[in-house]
Amino acid sequence: MPLARRVEDHNAAGGCLDVWMRCPGKVRAAGRKLQEGEFRTDAWCRCNEGWTASMMLSRLIVRLEGGLFLTADIYRRAANEALAEAGFAHVIGEDAFASAFGHDVTKERFLKYATSRLYPRKQTADLHTLFEVTHKHLRQIAGDMLAGARLQTVPGVLSLIEAVSEQGGEIALLTRLPIVLAQKLVREATGRDAQELFERIVREDKNGPVTAMMQAVSGANGRVLVIETSAEGLAA
């Protein structure tokens, strides 16, 4: 039975697994479509004994950016700072950021946003290079901000991790950040070492989310639940 169908059946029986996938794109989540820019942060992955009994997982894969931690505000502030330092008189608001980026700022999405919103009628090689340099600087700023931040976890996600772990399932963390930084964020936010919560931490490299997702899923024997927050990851 498809996972979305099992979620719907469980909820109809009084369960409380509301949404199992968060993404800014139009994707399926618990049997329905999320509209562009729509986010569910309130109890989207609450679980109870009924859930663990009816949906046994061999592995839970959680995206750090937006799946484990609320990261959108840091990336939005980093984007605005990088744009200002590059000389662009442009500020990305919260709603615009949620619609265009979600929880992170990938190079592909930034270039798409920059070419369509900053200079839609003037596309040159020099301008494209400037956008690429600006994105690289944006990632550096975001990294510095994250290194000094104590992030909030997404409501309910730690309870879900604990429930799956107690049932013998493995937990994997997927991220675009350096693993050392990811481990630091987990330790400071939860008070626990990342190795205690996650059997594996997989970082996306230049090969993109497909290779990373294969590494995260590799060896799983049974049902796998992926909490993904990027359109690229969903496509993978």
Side-chain angles (χ1 to χ4, degrees):
M1 181 184 298
L3 179 59
R5 179 72 259 173
R6 293 175 65 93
V7 169
E8 288 183 328
D9 290 346
H10 172 64
N11 287 346
C16 58
L17 182 63
D18 296 328
V19 178
W20 55 270
M21 193 175 292
R22 304 171 70 230
C23 180
K26 296 180 180 178
V27 299
R28 286 282 171 184
R32 69 181 184 85
K33 283 188 175 182
L34 290 179
Q35 298 303 311
E36 190 75 21
E38 179 183 358
F39 294 92
R40 291 289 298 277
T41 59
D42 54 335
W44 61 276
C45 61
R46 290 177 299 167
C47 58
N48 56 17
E49 292 181 1
W51 179 83
T52 57
S54 65
M55 191 181 297
M56 300 291 291
L57 300 176
S58 65
R59 183 168 300 165
L60 171 66
I61 302 173
V62 183
R63 165 76 64 180
L64 182 146
E65 297 88 348
L68 178 62
F69 294 123
L70 299 173
T71 55
D73 186 62
I74 282 183
Y75 280 104
R76 185 180 69 85
R77 289 190 285 117
N80 285 332
E81 184 174 328
L83 288 171
E85 292 184 10
F88 295 106
H90 182 85
V91 176
I92 307 175
E94 292 182 5
D95 291 343
F97 186 89
S99 178
F101 302 105
H103 311 276
D104 191 359
V105 183
T106 63
K107 181 179 178 180
E108 293 74 17
R109 282 183 173 263
F110 181 79
L111 293 178
K112 179 180 178 180
Y113 181 89
T115 53
S116 63
R117 298 292 299 274
L118 300 182
Y119 283 97
R121 298 180 181 178
K122 181 182 178 183
Q123 303 299 321
T124 66
D126 289 342
L127 190 58
H128 187 81
T129 299
L130 176 59
F131 290 155
E132 289 185 328
V133 171
T134 302
H135 178 263
K136 183 177 181 180
H137 186 44
L138 182 163
R139 299 294 303 189
Q140 293 172 340
I141 294 172
D144 291 340
M145 288 182 174
L146 288 167
R150 183 166 184 170
L151 298 178
Q152 288 184 309
T153 57
V154 171
V157 70
L158 292 181
S159 297
L160 177 59
I161 289 173
E162 292 291 346
V164 174
S165 182
E166 288 175 3
Q167 293 295 326
E170 296 182 349
I171 318 296
L173 183 65
L174 190 63
T175 183
R176 295 188 182 93
L177 298 175
I179 290 180
V180 172
L181 177 55
Q183 292 172 329
K184 178 179 182 294
L185 294 174
V186 170
R187 183 171 59 253
E188 293 186 354
T190 67
R192 299 173 59 182
D193 287 339
Q195 291 84 347
E196 295 180 22
L197 290 174
F198 305 102
E199 275 72 23
R200 63 181 72 186
I201 301 177
V202 180
R203 183 190 182 188
E204 286 186 19
D205 57 18
K206 62 183 179 180
N207 295 320
V210 175
T211 300
M213 189 66 72
M214 290 177 62
Q215 293 175 3
V217 174
S218 176
N221 183 22
R223 189 177 299 279
V224 177
L225 173 62
V226 181
I227 299 178
E228 179 58 271
T229 59
S230 70
E232 296 83 2
L234 289 172

